[in-house]
Amino acid sequence: MARMAWFKKERKPRTSERVKLEIPADAWEKCDECGHIDIKERFVRALNVCPNCGHHRRISAQEYIDFLVDEGSWHELDAGLKSVDPLKFESYPERLKLAVKKAGPLEAIRTGYARLHGMPVDLGVMDFNFMGGSMGSVVGEKIARLARRSIDKRIPLIIVSASGGARMQEGVLSLMQMAKTSGVLAEQAFWGIPFVSILTNPTTGGVSASYAMQGDVILAEPGAVIGFAGPRVIKQTIGQDLPAGFQTAEFLLEHGMVDAVVPRSELRDTTAQLLRHMAGRRPAEAAD
Amino acid sequence: MATHTLDFERPLLEIERQIEELKKMGGAGGDGASRSSDLAPLEKQLAELRAEIYRKLTPMQRVQVARHPKRPYPLDYIRLVFTDFVELHGDRLFGDDPAIVGGWARLDGQTVMIIGTQKGRDTKENLRRNFGMAHPEGYRKALRLMQLAEKFHSPVLTLIDIAGAHPGLGAEERGQAGAIARNLIEMAALRTPLIATVTGEGGSGGALAIGMADRVLMLENSVYSVISPEGCAAILWKDATQKERAAEALKLTAQDQLTLGVIDEIIPEPTGGAHADAEAAAEILAEALKRHLRELMKLRTAKLLKRREEKYLSIGAFTEK
């Protein structure tokens, strides 16, 4: 109904007839949040943030890598790690195949090293398109290896999270990845190596209850849903609708659970700024 | 004594009823000798049938035993296994969560910090303890007690029987995810031995939040799972009644966890489950805890921490090309 009304409204002026003929249909994009229609190029240039309402669309791991680190500095790590089916879980292999088709063969997280404002960094970026960014053994192993590299080379760690939580199809093995990653990150913290955690939409379940919330600094993209239990589960438990804005990045900021809500366009510079602050030079050394 | 209330235990109930009846008749002045000769085969039959049923439990039946309303809860084990228990309360930040209990106690001549999740026995207690589902303040209390133990060089023992961390408004507002995450990273580095035992339900992150340890043990009929069978079935097949199928798929039994390398040992339960004989169950648990405690107390802290990290680093299944 609403959509019908909207079409009528737009059609009335009938001014863009000529333009429509010249611009191919796929040149236009519509914001899922506010319905704003704009040239695709404007969405792309704004890193897939709606030019009208600021809604942050979900983007792929590759897109985060492209705008977060210095051009040409990305080196992929552990690209050969692949999931197996340890529980012989019904239709897991088929789902994995579908995920590879949809998001590529690099699993629900991509890890690598790069430079950010010239500083060496280790970066992990989760990909929600790969089985909802679910954390299985491969995600745990990739993060553990990345954090290990960060310890060995004394390089700061950045993890961009996007995940519904642990991967059900790997049972308790996936649950234990929470403990596994926490173990390495505890050692990383011991050595005083900075870890910036960036939360995107959504970050829930076992991922939010482990490394995503263990950053020295935790940043969140505007509007991202962040929490332990998913909104549907909570709704079921309490038997009523959730208050507006519940479990959004802004809600977490208000309750003291994240350091800052940072628009996508500022993530790169803010992270670099933070890493410079946390470079760990003692006052005496700084004076040299 | 109706200790057998689960559907698959119904055949036992019938024999138990017959035994009760015979006993009553014997007491009423019948032929005592012939009554007891009737009794013996029945009791033998009962024991055999019970053993038979429990030998062949399906995963979902295991879940039912783990959730049995008469199953001993952590406070029961604290009473039966330990001495000198002094309960400590509060997270010093927000409140006291009755879903998690903890305090100093003594085992094998050693002061330990014992922490457990706690369900209620009746509706009133369940309301107070939120059916044993912890809030962030519960996990923060647990962490405070662990750090207290670390300060005074005492080992930490946890007992786990939780459906899951509470999913609700207050829990989210106060940072359920952050509380669990914090516990994990602190437990990874805790400079004192940790032994975790799943005694009933090991409900996902809510269990792991006090379950990361140098030794992880599971009672024979306890379960450990990343999601409840009902929840899994609802997500995968949009049908919570497919829980048997989900319980099967999730590989949530103690034997499964041992095979997957997630736990270190299965602690046997008396035939018919821990709820059939709490004292016997506690005795077996006590023996196992003492043995692991003695082994861990011999290790230097640096070695203990190194082994803990390596233990968890080795968990997972993948290929590499």
Side-chain angles (χ1 to χ4, degrees):
Chain A
M1 282 288 278
R3 184 174 283 183
M4 290 297 288
W6 178 84
F7 271 117
K8 267 183 204 157
K9 211 174 175 183
E10 276 300 292
R11 279 201 176 164
K12 260 180 206 163
R14 301 183 68 87
T15 51
S16 53
E17 186 95 357
R18 205 172 57 91
V19 182
K20 264 186 197 158
L21 289 173
E22 284 177 5
I23 298 178
D26 66 354
W28 294 93
E29 292 220 340
K30 182 179 163 189
C31 173
D32 296 330
E33 195 67 22
C34 70
H36 173 74
I37 292 198
D38 215 321
I39 304 167
K40 191 176 178 180
E41 181 64 20
R42 286 193 64 189
F43 275 99
V44 173
R45 247 187 278 158
L47 306 172
N48 272 298
V49 174
C50 173
N52 182 52
C53 72
H55 170 66
H56 284 53
R57 293 170 153 191
R58 185 169 293 144
I59 57 174
S60 68
Q62 183 61 53
E63 286 169 292
Y64 276 107
I65 294 166
D66 287 345
F67 78 79
L68 270 178
V69 299
D70 298 351
E71 212 183 326
S73 71
W74 172 256
H75 295 268
E76 189 97 26
L77 290 167
D78 299 313
L81 284 182
K82 300 277 183 287
S83 292
V84 292
D85 183 13
L87 306 190
K88 303 274 166 277
F89 198 104
E90 211 178 310
S91 69
Y92 182 34
E94 290 75 32
R95 291 181 72 107
L96 279 172
K97 267 182 215 145
L98 272 176
V100 169
K101 221 177 199 176
K102 191 175 165 196
L106 293 168
E107 259 283 337
I109 192 166
R110 292 183 55 186
T111 55
Y113 61 94
R115 287 187 175 267
L116 169 58
H117 283 201
M119 292 176 282
V121 294
D122 285 320
L123 172 67
V125 185
M126 298 192 75
D127 200 331
F128 192 83
N129 289 322
F130 197 103
M131 287 189 78
S134 57
M135 169 175 56
S137 298
V138 170
V139 171
E141 181 69 15
K142 277 191 165 185
I143 288 182
R145 290 189 189 181
L146 189 70
R148 168 55 57 198
R149 185 181 193 277
S150 154
I151 296 167
D152 291 344
K153 299 202 179 288
R154 301 286 192 270
I155 290 174
L157 176 67
I158 305 165
I159 297 178
V160 181
S161 290
S163 173
R167 188 172 297 171
M168 218 159 40
Q169 290 85 349
E170 290 186 24
V172 174
L173 283 182
S174 64
L175 183 70
M176 290 301 145
Q177 303 309 306
M178 294 167 67
K180 175 171 174 169
T181 52
S182 298
V184 200
L185 289 171
E187 195 190 333
Q188 207 224 11
F190 173 81
W191 293 107
I193 300 157
F195 167 28
V196 175
S197 175
I198 300 172
L199 315 182
T200 73
N201 188 40
T203 300
T204 58
V207 169
S208 68
S210 59
Y211 53 86
M213 283 293 180
Q214 289 168 347
D216 293 307
V217 174
I218 305 174
L219 308 178
E221 280 194 346
V225 170
I226 302 158
F228 177 67
R232 249 188 323 169
V233 177
I234 300 174
K235 215 169 132 180
Q236 236 169 31
T237 312
I238 62 171
Q240 60 191 50
D241 282 336
L242 301 175
F246 182 68
Q247 289 188 314
T248 57
E250 294 75 13
F251 173 91
L252 267 84
L253 182 70
E254 193 185 319
H255 287 88
M257 300 303 160
V258 298
D259 287 286
V261 175
V262 181
R264 196 171 283 163
S265 58
E266 294 168 23
L267 272 180
R268 172 184 155 85
D269 290 347
T270 305
T271 305
Q273 198 181 5
L274 286 165
L275 291 183
R276 280 193 294 269
H277 280 304
M278 297 191 289
R281 286 197 306 168
R282 293 196 181 91
E285 296 169 28
D288 294 344
Chain B
M1 272 298 284
T3 45
H4 303 109
T5 54
L6 304 175
D7 47 2
F8 58 85
E9 288 181 321
R10 236 166 253 151
L12 298 174
L13 218 56
E14 177 55 30
I15 303 176
E16 275 189 324
R17 198 187 53 78
Q18 287 177 26
I19 291 175
E20 283 298 305
E21 217 135 274
L22 266 179
K23 277 184 182 164
K24 250 186 248 161
M25 284 164 73
D31 181 353
S34 80
R35 293 297 173 217
S36 66
S37 66
D38 285 346
L39 215 55
L42 269 180
E43 280 178 339
K44 185 162 175 268
Q45 195 191 343
L46 179 70
E48 278 171 2
L49 189 59
R50 183 186 285 147
E52 177 69 12
I53 287 173
Y54 271 80
R55 214 174 11 248
K56 295 195 296 197
L57 289 182
T58 66
M60 194 59 216
Q61 286 172 341
R62 278 271 186 225
V63 174
Q64 284 177 275
V65 176
R67 293 175 181 169
H68 198 292
K70 289 233 160 62
R71 193 166 174 85
Y73 293 151
L75 272 178
D76 299 309
Y77 289 118
I78 291 175
R79 181 172 51 81
L80 292 165
V81 172
F82 301 86
T83 58
D84 264 338
F85 178 56
V86 185
E87 188 173 354
L88 305 174
H89 294 91
D91 67 348
R92 302 292 189 272
L93 295 163
F94 178 80
D96 183 52
D97 186 351
I100 289 192
V101 296
W104 295 116
R106 197 172 286 272
L107 177 72
D108 207 18
Q110 163 85 47
T111 283
V112 300
M113 182 64 77
I114 176 82
I115 298 165
T117 54
Q118 182 66 28
K119 297 174 179 174
R121 280 288 168 210
D122 51 36
T123 309
K124 196 178 155 207
E125 197 194 355
N126 258 326
L127 288 177
R128 184 165 79 84
R129 298 198 187 275
N130 194 35
F131 297 86
M133 292 188 291
H135 279 76
E137 48 273 24
Y139 293 118
R140 290 178 181 131
K141 167 165 77 175
L143 179 59
R144 183 177 77 83
L145 299 189
M146 288 182 215
Q147 290 172 335
L148 193 61
E150 180 184 46
K151 181 174 178 179
F152 296 104
H153 312 288
S154 301
V156 176
L157 275 52
T158 67
L159 302 172
I160 298 163
D161 182 9
I162 182 171
H166 179 71
L169 295 182
E172 294 292 326
E173 273 171 4
R174 301 195 288 279
Q176 188 73 288
I180 295 171
R182 173 86 198 279
N183 277 23
L184 292 176
I185 201 163
E186 297 290 347
M187 291 172 92
L190 199 77
R191 299 177 66 79
T192 195
L194 276 158
I195 304 174
T197 308
V198 182
T199 61
E201 288 184 274
S204 199
L208 185 63
I210 61 163
M212 188 178 180
D214 300 302
R215 298 285 160 85
V216 182
L217 321 175
M218 278 180 83
L219 259 58
E220 188 182 346
N221 294 311
S222 67
V223 293
Y224 208 159
S225 186
V226 68
I227 186 169
S228 72
E230 292 86 353
C232 174
I235 292 174
L236 280 187
W237 306 299
K238 316 274 175 241
D239 180 4
T241 62
Q242 298 272 355
K243 58 189 178 190
E244 278 87 7
R245 189 174 163 198
E248 192 85 40
L250 284 166
K251 302 281 187 289
L252 43 63
T253 68
Q255 187 54 54
D256 290 324
Q257 303 331 320
L258 193 67
T259 309
L260 290 168
V262 166
I263 63 164
D264 300 284
E265 186 177 321
I266 298 172
I267 301 171
E269 291 182 27
T271 310
H275 60 282
D277 191 343
E279 280 79 13
E283 209 169 297
I284 307 170
L285 172 63
E287 183 277 322
L289 290 178
K290 284 178 198 170
R291 180 161 40 81
H292 286 287
L293 199 55
R294 278 186 212 132
E295 286 172 20
L296 291 174
M297 294 302 279
K298 284 184 203 147
L299 295 177
R300 287 173 166 280
T301 307
K303 193 163 195 179
L304 186 77
L305 292 182
K306 185 105 196 92
R307 281 195 189 172
R308 192 183 300 158
E309 188 180 345
E310 281 165 0
K311 169 193 171 78
Y312 282 98
L313 275 179
S314 72
I315 299 180
F318 50 84
T319 61
E320 190 163 19
K321 283 164 203 155

